[in-house]
């Protein structure tokens, strides 16, 4: 996949899926702007990626749910590279809670980071891409919880379903500017966070038709394709990456 000296911005990329997406793109020669809310994670991620990167790697730490900070990120891309080819809204938070006791504060924070952060990153990035003859690609990270109910995740699932509808609606708004927009919905995925649960891999291996949970590389390779030139005629779509779990949906709580 030819990258043509492309520039990609990835939020929530200090660890996990976002970090692996940044790493895969950097290995392909993309110039990377890597964001995480924690400065230490941003710096550590950049240090690791630089060893294999074929392009430039810049870091910017801050809250990707804040519209003012979002504008800072896309302005950095325009200032340093004169363009922005790919924007990946990967940052998100999960705040578990029983429906009857779920607090307004937790609800609005999930919506602010997940839904609002994605919306305003798409808006700001598309504003730059609109001026480019080459257009660009937007990719949002959704979740299987947007398709199958999970206990104590009503607000989170709602925010992810909203992201998928946003991608569909933006087809109307952005196609004329040669901007495509898609989402990926990871299922159970092995990350440093999920690895802290000693039963996680065993549980999900048992109930996943393909016999294992996803790796971050599984998700990153899909993202690489969806933002590539080879996928430019794909837009408004969601791709579930869960080893077939949503097809049969056995509960992990049994």
């Amino acid at each position: 996949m030819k990258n043509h000296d492309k520039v990609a911005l990835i939020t929530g990329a200090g660890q996990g899926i976002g970090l692996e997406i940044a790493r895969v793109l950097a290995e392909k020669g993309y110039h990377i702007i890597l964001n995480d809310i924690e400065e230490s994670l941003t710096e550590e991620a950049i240090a690791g990626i630089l060893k294999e990167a074929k392009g430039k790697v810049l870091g910017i730490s801050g809250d990707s749910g804040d519209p003012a900070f979002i504008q800072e990120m896309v302005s950095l891309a325009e200032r340093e590279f004169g363009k922005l080819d790919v924007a990946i809204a990967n940052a998100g938070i999960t705040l578990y809670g029983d429906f009857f006791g779920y607090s307004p504060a937790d609800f609005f924070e999930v919506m602010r980071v997940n839904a609002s952060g994605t919306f305003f990153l798409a808006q700001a990035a598309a504003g730059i891409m609109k001026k480019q003859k080459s257009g660009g690609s937007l990719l949002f990270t959704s979740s299987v919880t947007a398709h199958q109910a999970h206990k104590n995740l009503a607000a989170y699932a709602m925010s992810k379903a909203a992201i998928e509808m946003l991608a569909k609606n933006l087809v109307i708004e952005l196609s004329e500017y040669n901007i495509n927009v898609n989402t990926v919905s990871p299922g159970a995925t092995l990350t440093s966070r999920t690895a802290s649960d000693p039963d996680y891999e065993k549980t999900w291996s048992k109930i996943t038709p393909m016999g294992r949970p996803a790796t971050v590389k599984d998700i990153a390779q899909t993202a690489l394709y969806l933002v590539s030139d080879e996928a430019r005629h794909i837009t408004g779509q969601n791709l579930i990456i869960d080893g077939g779990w949503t097809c049969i949906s056995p509960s992990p709580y049994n």
Side-chain angles (χ1 to χ4, degrees):
M1 299 179 183
K2 297 179 181 179
N3 62 73
H4 305 299
D5 203 34
K6 289 186 175 181
V7 178
L9 165 64
I10 308 103
T11 65
Q15 59 185 333
I17 290 171
L19 173 58
E20 187 63 19
I21 292 173
R23 189 194 322 279
V24 167
L25 292 178
E27 289 175 351
K28 292 293 181 181
Y30 285 75
H31 300 304
I32 302 297
I33 297 174
L34 185 153
N35 157 261
D36 197 275
I37 195 168
E38 295 186 30
E39 188 173 358
S40 61
L41 287 177
T42 302
E43 293 175 352
E44 185 177 343
I46 291 173
I49 290 174
L50 279 173
K51 298 174 184 178
E52 301 170 352
K54 296 179 181 177
K56 296 181 179 179
V57 182
L58 304 179
I60 179 167
S61 297
D63 181 0
S64 62
D66 177 3
F69 179 72
I70 289 169
Q71 190 58 55
E72 284 185 39
M73 291 192 290
V74 298
S75 295
L76 174 64
E78 194 167 34
R79 184 170 66 251
E80 293 294 325
F81 301 106
K83 61 175 184 173
L84 180 61
D85 302 290
V86 173
I88 300 177
N90 173 72
I93 60 170
T94 308
L95 297 178
Y96 292 86
D98 175 72
F99 171 71
F100 288 102
Y102 208 80
S103 71
D106 283 354
F107 178 87
F108 288 118
E109 182 65 3
V110 167
M111 295 302 161
R112 184 188 72 83
V113 176
N114 297 1
S116 177
T118 298
F119 183 97
F120 288 107
L121 177 62
Q123 183 187 71
I128 294 177
M129 295 173 182
K130 180 180 176 181
K131 299 182 291 185
Q132 301 169 175
K133 292 182 179 180
S134 57
S137 291
L138 302 175
L139 184 66
F140 308 151
T141 301
S142 180
S143 166
V144 291
T145 62
H147 301 267
Q148 298 292 343
H150 264 250
K151 185 178 181 181
N152 294 329
L153 282 178
Y156 177 79
M158 181 179 171
S159 73
K160 293 300 187 178
I163 288 170
E164 294 186 19
M165 192 61 223
L166 173 63
K168 291 179 180 294
N169 201 82
L170 290 183
V171 171
I172 300 172
E173 307 282 355
L174 304 180
S175 293
E176 66 178 294
Y177 305 111
N178 197 26
I179 301 170
N180 68 331
V181 51
N182 295 291
T183 62
V184 290
S185 290
T189 306
L190 293 174
T191 66
S192 57
R193 180 177 63 85
T194 59
S196 64
D197 179 354
D199 297 322
Y200 186 88
E201 184 172 5
K202 180 181 178 180
T203 297
W204 284 98
S205 294
K206 184 178 180 180
I207 64 176
T208 299
M210 293 297 287
R212 64 171 177 86
T215 65
V216 290
K217 189 171 184 179
D218 290 323
I219 314 304
Q221 290 294 336
T222 305
L224 172 65
Y225 173 67
L226 287 174
V227 301
S228 72
D229 287 343
E230 285 79 0
R232 291 308 296 273
H233 205 57
I234 301 172
T235 193
Q237 304 303 307
N238 175 67
L239 190 54
I240 297 174
I241 313 161
D242 70 346
W245 179 80
T246 50
C247 294
I248 57 175
S249 305
S251 172
Y253 304 110
N254 295 334

